[in-house]
Amino acid sequence: MTDQTYQLIAIGLYFLAMLGIGYYAYFQTTSLDDYMLAGRKLSPGVAALSAGASDMSGWLLMGLPGAIYVSGLVEAWIAIGLTIGAYLNWRFVAPRLRSYTEVSNNSITLPSFLESRFRDNTRLLRIASGLIILVFFTFYVSSGMVAGGVFFEASFGTHYLFGMLLVAGITLTYTLFGGFLGASLTDVAQGMLMFAALIIIPVTTVFVLGGIDETIAAINAADAAHNAANPDNPLRRTSLLFGGSILAILSAASWGLGYFGQPHIIVRFMALRSHADAKVGRRIGIGWMVLVASGAVLTGLIGAGYFHLSDRTLDNPETVFLVLSQILFHPFIAGLVLAAVLAAIMSTISSQLLVCSSALVEDLYKIFGRNLSAQTQVLLGRLGVLVVAVIAALLAIDPRSNILGLVAFAWAGFGAAFGPIILMSLFWRRLSAMGALAGMIAGAVVVGYWGNVPELKAQMYEIVPGFIACAVVAVVVSLVTSRRDDEEIQREFSAMEARH
């Protein structure tokens, strides 16, 4: 058999496993609560790995190694900022959000929680948050589909559109039928596959290069060759500071701010069995994240030295992980390693599709007072997944889309629109419905404007001004409009705090 045949067999087995998990989950799903939140029965291990896998999309195995390959460790500040943000999210948001969403009308989506938390009878808060989710997640899902198309094009020479549609189709199938439980269980398998691949690639490359000292020498040699050819643009890949201004470093590290507002991540907190599970989940999730992020950084760094010494050319830096796996391993093992890229891509797409579905059905359709049976609600949830997937696929038709760029824009949108609101809703009693609504809109608008003005974007990642705008507007408006005499809101807040 040819190398590609071995690799396709491995990837085919991976696809079958994902569909099998989705098939199993289909029979465990009988209500919208099951479909959107798995009945709040996730163990801390499943929640942690599911949150991690759904967070670390194709950018972890393609975008981040590619950035490190080109620019060096200065780009690792993204991973550092994300790890710190993830820890703080698990430490402070997870236990309180799990308790508060149960206390506050057993809310199963972020928009429904915000409406219940503030007793917003106007429904404006729920509608606005649902629309923000749909807009930014459509870009996010599209980035995953772009990554799928690039993956098959780089690995097997297939047409970009074929790869994109195949990844989208398989992910859509198991998400459509398996719901939240299916997405979470596939996330666990995908998270373990990503972990194994991101450990084995850099370790094997170091052995091939002859050891740690030889690997560092190869990286330095690659830098020397680059600097000789580009005297006006020197490079030192092994430095966290070289080539990066303080502003650039802060901009990269500010990715961590986004964690507090990512609906597809914090929904895992809501699905925990109890708030006490957050502590165990934090340890598992952050341990996993440190190891996979380190593996991605080392893959890009070591890959630069390897390709310099081997005199091989790498047309697209974002494929360094893919190409190394094909060079270093038996085709079948390489196929399993390649499947890890699909795991990263598909785990994120599935989680985001479900959040979009919940925004369409639970937060936009049902608010108009329609009394729907459980079966009809699940059916509408599946139709919502299908609609968002089709729109995202249309946006992903252009193969020139930058994966990390699409992810960065969507990540900033959620982080700025929801991050300050989630934090203040859990820790500040005086945050009002109008303050939350105004802050949310301000954050989304600033990100949308800043992220599309190249001169501003070059100075600072758009999440920073968006996050600040949201927080300032929310505080100012809340101080003017908050009501301290709302006993029901105060009672719920006290009930949540009593658990902690």
Side-chain angles (χ1 to χ4, degrees):
M1 290 190 290
T2 65
D3 289 357
Q4 279 199 358
T5 302
Y6 278 113
Q7 293 171 5
L8 288 171
I9 288 173
I11 291 175
L13 291 174
Y14 162 75
F15 279 152
L16 288 174
M18 297 302 101
L19 291 172
I21 293 173
Y23 181 75
Y24 163 79
Y26 172 74
F27 291 100
Q28 313 300 315
T29 302
T30 58
S31 67
L32 190 65
D33 192 31
D34 289 337
Y35 191 75
M36 297 301 179
L37 218 57
R40 294 190 191 266
K41 297 176 183 177
L42 286 193
S43 68
V46 172
L49 290 177
S50 179
S54 61
D55 163 25
M56 296 299 182
S57 58
W59 79 268
L60 177 69
L61 287 89
M62 298 176 71
L64 182 57
I68 297 292
Y69 182 94
V70 172
S71 304
L73 281 182
V74 68
E75 296 291 345
W77 284 105
I78 295 177
I80 294 171
L82 287 173
T83 302
I84 294 171
Y87 173 82
L88 296 175
N89 208 23
W90 273 103
R91 175 67 179 82
F92 296 106
V93 173
R96 283 181 171 246
L97 187 65
R98 171 60 181 84
S99 297
Y100 214 157
T101 52
E102 185 175 20
V103 168
S104 189
N105 201 31
N106 195 32
S107 306
I108 66 172
T109 68
L110 179 59
S112 65
F113 163 66
L114 293 175
E115 179 182 77
S116 179
R117 159 71 172 83
F118 299 107
R119 299 298 188 273
D120 179 28
N121 295 324
T122 68
R123 296 292 177 90
L124 291 176
L125 192 57
R126 191 166 184 169
I127 293 172
S129 54
L131 290 175
I132 289 172
I133 285 174
L134 287 175
V135 170
F136 284 108
F137 260 149
T138 301
F139 284 101
Y140 216 147
V141 172
S142 181
S143 75
M145 293 181 179
V146 170
V150 171
F151 167 85
F152 272 97
E153 187 176 43
S155 302
F156 303 106
T158 63
H159 192 278
Y160 165 85
L161 188 60
F162 170 80
M164 186 272 285
L165 292 175
L166 179 63
V167 170
I170 296 292
T171 310
L172 177 62
T173 300
Y174 73 72
T175 306
L176 202 65
F177 294 102
F180 188 86
L181 179 61
S184 298
L185 293 178
T186 54
D187 283 348
V188 172
Q190 290 162 337
M192 295 309 297
L193 188 58
M194 291 160 61
F195 171 82
L198 283 168
I199 296 300
I200 194 173
I201 287 286
V203 169
T204 302
T205 310
V206 169
F207 274 108
V208 170
L209 290 173
I212 295 176
D213 291 339
E214 289 78 3
T215 300
I216 294 175
I219 296 169
N220 290 333
D223 286 352
H226 169 86
N227 295 341
N230 304 275
D232 296 330
N233 184 23
L235 179 66
R236 187 181 170 198
R237 287 187 176 87
T238 53
S239 172
L240 278 167
L241 300 175
F242 190 84
S245 66
I246 296 299
L247 192 62
I249 290 171
L250 290 175
S251 183
S254 67
W255 278 66
L257 289 173
Y259 268 104
F260 305 115
Q262 303 301 317
H264 62 300
I265 296 174
I266 61 178
V267 73
R268 265 68 187 173
F269 305 157
M270 297 162 62
L272 285 166
R273 295 175 304 194
S274 73
H275 71 274
D277 283 340
K279 185 175 183 179
V280 177
R282 180 178 75 241
R283 292 172 176 171
I284 295 172
I286 299 305
W288 178 90
M289 186 172 181
V290 167
L291 290 171
V292 297
S294 299
V297 168
L298 289 173
T299 296
L301 194 64
I302 296 169
Y306 177 87
F307 282 104
H308 172 72
L309 290 186
S310 63
D311 291 327
R312 294 174 180 265
T313 58
L314 192 61
D315 296 330
N316 183 355
E318 289 190 335
T319 63
V320 59
F321 179 87
L322 306 179
V323 178
L324 279 175
S325 67
Q326 293 175 315
I327 294 172
L328 298 175
F329 301 111
H330 180 278
F332 183 77
I333 301 300
L336 294 177
V337 173
L338 292 176
V341 179
L342 289 174
I345 295 168
M346 296 167 68
S347 61
T348 303
I349 293 176
S350 62
S351 299
Q352 294 163 347
L353 284 175
L354 281 171
V355 175
C356 287
S357 173
S358 69
L360 281 171
V361 179
E362 180 71 10
D363 302 318
L364 296 178
Y365 186 83
K366 284 177 64 179
I367 63 172
F368 294 106
R370 290 170 173 78
N371 188 17
L372 305 173
S373 67
Q375 186 177 8
T376 302
Q377 290 179 41
V378 173
L379 176 61
L380 287 175
R382 290 180 172 133
L383 287 175
V385 167
L386 181 61
V387 169
V388 174
V390 170
I391 296 173
L394 292 174
L395 290 175
I397 288 177
D398 181 7
R400 296 170 296 177
S401 300
N402 178 271
I403 298 169
L404 193 58
L406 287 170
V407 172
F409 181 68
W411 185 269
F414 287 124
F418 292 130
I421 304 305
I422 292 297
L423 289 171
M424 285 189 279
S425 69
L426 299 176
F427 290 94
W428 190 40
R429 289 175 180 266
R430 292 194 63 186
L431 181 65
S432 69
M434 288 300 101
L437 178 63
M440 189 186 304
I441 294 173
V445 169
V446 169
V447 165
Y449 175 75
W450 195 286
N452 286 285
V453 178
E455 294 79 11
L456 294 175
K457 191 176 180 68
Q459 295 298 316
M460 174 63 71
Y461 181 28
E462 55 264 32
I463 195 173
V464 176
F467 197 95
I468 293 172
C470 175
V472 170
V473 170
V475 169
V476 171
V477 175
S478 292
L479 291 176
V480 175
T481 63
S482 65
R483 292 178 51 195
R484 299 187 183 185
D485 60 342
D486 195 320
E487 295 182 359
E488 193 171 3
I489 291 179
Q490 298 302 322
R491 178 186 58 79
E492 279 190 357
F493 195 97
S494 298
M496 178 273 294
E497 283 197 320
R499 299 188 179 190
H500 304 277

